[in-house]
Amino acid sequence: LNSSDPDLITSETAATRKVVSKHRQEIKKVCRHYIAESSAGPGCIDWKSYLSFARDCGIVTGSNRVSIADLVRVYNTAAQEEVVVGVIKGSEDKAEDDEEADQKFKEPTHELNQAQFIDCIVQLAGCRHYKKNGISHSVLLFMERDILPNACRTSVDDFRKLISQEGIRQIFNVCNNKLTAIFRRYSSLDDSSEESQDNMFSMNEIEFLEMVNDARLLKNPNLNERKIKTIFAHVQQNDDFGEDDPSLDLEMDYNEFCEALVSLCINVLPDPFVPLSQKLEGFLDKYIIGPLTGGGQA
């Protein structure tokens, strides 16, 4: 914050934390999505995934863009834990044209944990919206204008257009009974708590991994546990993203389960010259319904 007033700093810090707390469920899902995309260590985000987040949010283009130079400064500052709330030093006075600086930046090689990534969100909000707003309102604008409508969405929307084709829907209709039985069986594996009893018609990551393992898909050279977790994370983004029931956080419903099966199919059978509907029909029969029910399609 560009202020020496301790009361203002205290109030803005508290207000910013309130905004972050208000959107904690959405932030949690955004973190999970970009962690799954990352090639960093467990629970961490690397530079490429961070840059993907910025591009998905649409903040690197347009008249009010955040420059690559500022993206790097935010990333490095968060990693060094030098700033908790505020605007990156000098970003409010940066030149209108940062193209030269963008060409000279050095790509960071370190990783961010979730807390550091959340700090990046606060810092980027300052870079994006601070000129006309306080930092807390900047974070609110960043969440509601940039992150919630855009983050995680680009590839997900394209994918959902692909699988909404009539041929794909028809295959799922034909296989509905057996796929529903498989979904219900694995979604009820974790029944050790009252909360899990309420979520018996949704599948968590552990249950999904168990199903994939039982289907022997992890033996396929195109799949591994990280890839499976990425698929699980990517189907979490609903049309009402930002308004989810927290109790259903990180659980996928039957429609998302079907989307995950299509994604598994594309990874196991990547030949682009075979129509997706043809690949999906064979995949479900050979790799899902057959191994998990002891029979073919019905």
Side-chain angles (χ1 to χ4, degrees), residues 174-217:
V174 170
C175 301
N176 181 68
N177 289 341
K178 288 194 172 182
L179 290 178
T180 299
I182 291 170
F183 177 77
R184 286 180 175 175
R185 171 152 59 97
Y186 284 93
S187 65
S188 63
L189 287 180
D190 184 10
D191 58 358
S192 58
S193 67
E194 183 178 342
E195 180 179 343
S196 63
Q197 290 286 341
D198 294 335
N199 291 342
M200 285 183 65
F201 295 103
S202 59
M203 186 181 293
N204 62 34
E205 183 182 84
I206 294 174
E207 292 163 340
F208 184 57
L209 281 167
E210 183 74 14
M211 186 209 74
V212 170
N213 186 58
D214 287 351
R216 303 173 68 83
L217 287 172

Side-chain angles (χ1 to χ4, degrees), residues 133-203:
N133 307 279
I135 188 63
S136 60
H137 191 57
S138 296
V139 175
L140 182 64
L141 290 175
F142 190 46
M143 287 298 306
E144 296 185 351
R145 291 185 182 179
D146 301 316
I147 295 180
L148 296 185
N150 301 306
C152 320
R153 281 301 184 84
T154 304
S155 59
V156 173
D157 286 347
D158 290 343
F159 177 70
R160 285 179 174 162
K161 283 183 182 179
L162 177 66
I163 66 175
S164 66
Q165 300 171 11
E166 178 63 30
I168 303 299
R169 293 200 305 269
Q170 185 176 356
I171 291 170
F172 279 116
N173 287 337
V174 170
C175 301
N176 181 68
N177 289 341
K178 288 194 172 182
L179 290 178
T180 299
I182 291 170
F183 177 77
R184 286 180 175 175
R185 171 152 59 97
Y186 284 93
S187 65
S188 63
L189 287 180
D190 184 10
D191 58 358
S192 58
S193 67
E194 183 178 342
E195 180 179 343
S196 63
Q197 290 286 341
D198 294 335
N199 291 342
M200 285 183 65
F201 295 103
S202 59
M203 186 181 293

Side-chain angles (χ1 to χ4, degrees), residues 248-265:
L248 296 178
D249 193 33
L250 308 182
E251 299 265 345
M252 66 180 174
D253 60 24
Y254 180 73
N255 288 333
E256 292 168 333
F257 172 68
C258 291
E259 293 174 4
L261 292 178
V262 175
S263 187
L264 288 172
C265 169

